[in-house]
Amino acid sequence: SDLLEESGIRIKKSQSTSLTDIQFDCKWGILCNRGILKLPPICMDDVSETMFLNLIAFERFHAGAGSQVTNYIYLMDKLVDNAKDVNILQSHEILHNALGSDKALAQLINSLSKDVVLDRDSSLNKVHVAINNYCKTEPHKWRASLIQTYFRNPWALVSVMAAIVLFALTIVQALYGALQYYQGEKKG
């Protein structure tokens, strides 16, 4: 989630509560400035682990049952790596954490996805591929790298802004000095 936001992807809560209703919209294609990932809200609590493991097992062992829950867990694992990612999804009202700590919820999501494979024909695979393609385009990679390198804390931002201002003032001073020199040449 953190990397998504750094790449310029906004996360929004969808109006649907269906786990299969996950959409990624980028209206301008490769030149898109901002992608929007819409996710359904979900509450994770003490029984979520058992429920999801049972549903994943049911999907694996019953032909024709589909793989919607498995695909959803796979995609959530790609979005959630740590407590910070959980916090980001909570701030967008996607995850409602009834487990207690964000770290515990991140560990739960990561543990649920062990040995889970995304169905290549699913709509969530198309979303996953679209997000990966979006994040791999050069402008979005540069944006994420820039944010990760220079704007992780407020002091780094202040330093970059000060450097830009000092560079601009140096250019102004050089132009002013050159202007004075050429005006002196005209008089002399």
Side-chain angles (χ1 to χ4, degrees):
S1 303
D2 195 23
L3 185 60
L4 293 180
E5 289 193 331
E6 289 173 359
S7 297
I9 295 177
R10 288 191 342 218
I11 299 170
K12 287 190 170 185
K13 179 174 82 169
S14 71
Q15 299 303 315
S16 171
T17 56
S18 170
L19 298 183
T20 59
D21 192 18
I22 296 176
Q23 301 168 358
F24 179 69
D25 296 321
C26 185
K27 300 194 187 314
W28 303 320
I30 291 177
L31 300 176
C32 176
N33 187 26
R34 281 234 184 239
I36 299 172
L37 177 62
K38 293 181 182 175
L39 298 162
I42 187 166
C43 182
M44 300 291 277
D45 56 22
D46 294 340
V47 298
S48 295
E49 181 176 19
T50 305
M51 178 190 67
F52 279 117
L53 288 174
N54 283 332
L55 288 170
I56 290 169
F58 180 81
E59 287 179 347
R60 279 189 184 168
F61 295 112
H62 289 83
S67 59
Q68 290 87 357
V69 174
T70 304
N71 294 333
Y72 175 78
I73 292 299
Y74 180 88
L75 189 63
M76 287 304 289
D77 178 52
K78 295 300 176 191
L79 297 176
V80 175
D81 285 328
N82 53 43
K84 186 176 181 185
D85 295 331
V86 169
N87 190 282
I88 289 170
L89 290 174
Q90 284 184 114
S91 69
H92 290 92
E93 299 178 1
I94 306 300
L95 285 178
H96 301 283
N97 186 358
L99 284 176
S101 77
D102 294 347
K103 184 178 179 181
L105 182 52
Q107 289 173 340
L108 171 64
I109 291 171
N110 295 153
S111 71
L112 286 172
S113 64
K114 285 190 172 49
D115 301 323
V116 168
V117 179
L118 185 63
D119 180 10
R120 297 265 180 228
D121 298 327
S122 74
S123 62
L124 294 187
N125 184 46
K126 292 176 182 130
V127 168
H128 185 250
V129 168
I131 291 170
N132 280 341
N133 290 339
Y134 179 91
C135 291
K136 287 179 184 176
T137 59
E138 289 302 318
H140 302 123
K141 279 175 35 180
W142 295 337
R143 176 188 172 127
S145 176
L146 186 70
I147 289 172
Q148 228 169 9
T149 305
Y150 295 108
F151 303 123
R152 274 285 182 206
N153 66 50
W155 291 113
L157 178 63
V158 169
S159 299
V160 169
M161 297 304 273
I164 290 170
V165 168
L166 288 174
F167 183 68
L169 290 174
T170 303
I171 290 173
V172 169
Q173 182 182 11
L175 291 173
Y176 185 71
L179 184 63
Q180 279 186 333
Y181 175 77
Y182 287 117
Q183 285 179 348
E185 287 282 319
K186 286 182 183 177
K187 291 180 182 177

